[in-house]
Amino acid sequence: LEFSFLRLDLSGINEPWTSHPLDNFDWDGKRPLKCVFLTWGSRGDHQPNIALGLELARRGHEVTVTGMHEYRNLIERHPSLNYVEIVDSNLWELAEAFRDSEGADFISLTRDYVIASNREMVPQYIDAARDA
């Protein structure tokens, strides 16, 4: 993974999603779909997925929106949406590490957080999608 300002060496990291192949997708355009929005982040990340989910639900599809505990009520106040909680136990560790480092090592802290969080959250997302 490489950006102009950052290069992450992810070699040797076993991505948890590689052991979960996708099934063939066959849709006739008529029967309702089961849709899942894999959401992580702030309210600004959740709201567009909720809006899209509401429209899909209005059209007869079954919709699940994942989210962190802080946004549970934002999702569950819509009876047409299913909610699955995603736990990111590394988030507060990152916040504390930033506080303690005074921002000195932003890139390394972020890289370590992304790797640790993905190891924790990707299996949760896979389970949420499988159960949707």
Side-chain angles (χ1 to χ4, degrees), residues 49-67:
N49 289 338
I50 292 169
L52 290 169
L54 288 170
E55 179 59 22
L56 287 168
R58 187 187 70 76
R59 294 179 183 205
H61 302 290
E62 184 180 330
V63 179
T64 299
V65 179
T66 67

Side-chain angles (χ1 to χ4, degrees), residues 22-71:
L22 297 174
D23 296 330
N24 290 333
F25 181 73
D26 182 26
W27 184 51
D28 60 11
K30 298 175 186 169
R31 63 183 163 82
L33 293 175
K34 291 185 175 185
C35 306
V36 61
F37 288 91
L38 306 174
T39 311
W40 180 92
S42 68
R43 183 179 180 132
D45 297 297
H46 287 74
Q47 283 183 287
N49 289 338
I50 292 169
L52 290 169
L54 288 170
E55 179 59 22
L56 287 168
R58 187 187 70 76
R59 294 179 183 205
H61 302 290
E62 184 180 330
V63 179
T64 299
V65 179
T66 67
M68 296 170 67
H69 178 73
E70 293 83 358
Y71 304 103

Side-chain angles (χ1 to χ4, degrees), residues 3-17:
F3 299 93
S4 60
F5 63 91
L6 169 68
R7 183 175 183 280
L8 295 179
D9 180 10
L10 301 178
S11 60
I13 295 173
N14 183 17
E15 295 99 355
W17 54 86

Side-chain angles (χ1 to χ4, degrees), residues 50-122:
I50 292 169
L52 290 169
L54 288 170
E55 179 59 22
L56 287 168
R58 187 187 70 76
R59 294 179 183 205
H61 302 290
E62 184 180 330
V63 179
T64 299
V65 179
T66 67
M68 296 170 67
H69 178 73
E70 293 83 358
Y71 304 103
R72 177 183 199 127
N73 291 335
L74 192 64
I75 299 164
E76 285 188 332
R77 70 179 172 191
H78 303 286
S80 61
L81 301 179
N82 300 310
Y83 167 74
V84 173
E85 183 173 330
I86 297 297
V87 176
D88 180 2
S89 62
N90 298 287
L91 184 59
W92 293 113
E93 291 176 22
L94 175 67
E96 290 171 4
F98 277 140
R99 183 195 65 219
D100 295 344
S101 74
E102 298 175 357
D105 195 11
F106 175 81
I107 299 297
S108 294
L109 290 172
T110 303
R111 181 197 65 224
D112 294 345
Y113 163 73
V114 167
I115 291 168
S117 287
N118 280 331
R119 285 186 177 144
E120 178 182 30
M121 292 188 308
V122 167

